[in-house]
Coordinates of all heavy atoms in Angstrom, one line a residue:
L242 N 30.0 8.6 -3.1 CA 28.6 8.7 -3.5 C 27.7 8.4 -2.3 O 26.7 9.1 -2.1 CB 28.3 7.8 -4.7 CG 26.9 7.9 -5.2 CD1 26.5 9.3 -5.6 CD2 26.7 7.0 -6.4
D243 N 28.0 7.3 -1.6 CA 27.1 7.0 -0.5 C 27.0 8.1 0.6 O 26.0 8.5 1.1 CB 27.4 5.6 0.2 CG 28.9 5.4 0.5 OD1 29.7 6.3 0.2 OD2 29.2 4.3 1.0
T244 N 28.2 8.7 0.9 CA 28.3 9.8 1.9 C 27.4 10.9 1.4 O 26.6 11.5 2.2 CB 29.7 10.2 2.1 OG1 30.5 9.1 2.5 CG2 29.8 11.4 3.1
L245 N 27.5 11.2 0.2 CA 26.7 12.4 -0.4 C 25.2 12.1 -0.3 O 24.4 13.0 -0.1 CB 27.2 12.7 -1.8 CG 28.7 13.3 -1.8 CD1 29.2 13.2 -3.2 CD2 28.7 14.7 -1.3
V246 N 24.8 10.9 -0.6 CA 23.4 10.6 -0.6 C 22.9 10.7 0.9 O 21.8 11.3 1.1 CB 23.1 9.1 -1.1 CG1 21.6 8.8 -0.9 CG2 23.5 9.0 -2.5
Y247 N 23.6 10.1 1.8 CA 23.2 10.3 3.2 C 23.1 11.7 3.6 O 22.2 12.2 4.3 CB 24.2 9.5 4.2 CG 24.1 8.0 4.1 CD1 25.2 7.3 3.7 CD2 23.0 7.3 4.4 CE1 25.2 5.9 3.6 CE2 22.9 5.9 4.3 CZ 24.0 5.2 3.9 OH 24.0 3.8 3.8
A248 N 24.1 12.5 3.2 CA 24.1 13.9 3.6 C 22.9 14.6 3.0 O 22.3 15.5 3.7 CB 25.4 14.6 3.0
W249 N 22.5 14.3 1.8 CA 21.3 14.9 1.2 C 20.1 14.6 2.0 O 19.2 15.4 2.3 CB 21.2 14.4 -0.2 CG 20.1 15.0 -1.0 CD1 19.9 16.3 -1.4 CD2 18.9 14.3 -1.4 NE1 18.8 16.5 -2.1 CE2 18.1 15.2 -2.2 CE3 18.5 13.0 -1.3 CZ2 16.9 14.9 -2.7 CZ3 17.3 12.7 -1.9 CH2 16.5 13.6 -2.6
L250 N 19.9 13.3 2.4 CA 18.8 12.9 3.2 C 18.8 13.6 4.6 O 17.8 14.0 5.1 CB 18.7 11.4 3.4 CG 18.5 10.6 2.1 CD1 18.7 9.1 2.4 CD2 17.0 10.8 1.6
L251 N 20.0 13.6 5.2 CA 20.1 14.2 6.5 C 19.8 15.7 6.6 O 19.3 16.2 7.6 CB 21.5 14.0 7.1 CG 21.9 12.5 7.4 CD1 23.4 12.4 7.7 CD2 21.1 12.1 8.7
A252 N 20.0 16.3 5.4 CA 19.8 17.8 5.3 C 18.3 18.2 5.3 O 18.0 19.3 5.5 CB 20.5 18.3 4.1
H253 N 17.4 17.2 5.0 CA 16.0 17.6 4.9 C 15.5 18.0 6.2 O 15.8 17.4 7.3 CB 15.2 16.4 4.3 CG 13.8 16.7 4.0 ND1 12.8 16.7 4.9 CD2 13.2 17.2 2.8 CE1 11.7 17.1 4.4 NE2 11.9 17.4 3.1
P254 N 14.6 19.0 6.3 CA 14.1 19.5 7.6 C 13.3 18.5 8.4 O 13.1 18.6 9.6 CB 13.3 20.7 7.3 CG 13.1 20.7 5.8 CD 14.2 19.8 5.2
A255 N 12.9 17.3 7.8 CA 12.1 16.4 8.6 C 12.9 15.6 9.6 O 12.4 14.8 10.4 CB 11.4 15.4 7.7

Side-chain angles (χ1 to χ4, degrees):
L242 182 57
D243 48 358
T244 300
L245 292 164
V246 175
Y247 290 120
W249 181 70
L250 292 172
L251 290 167
H253 189 273

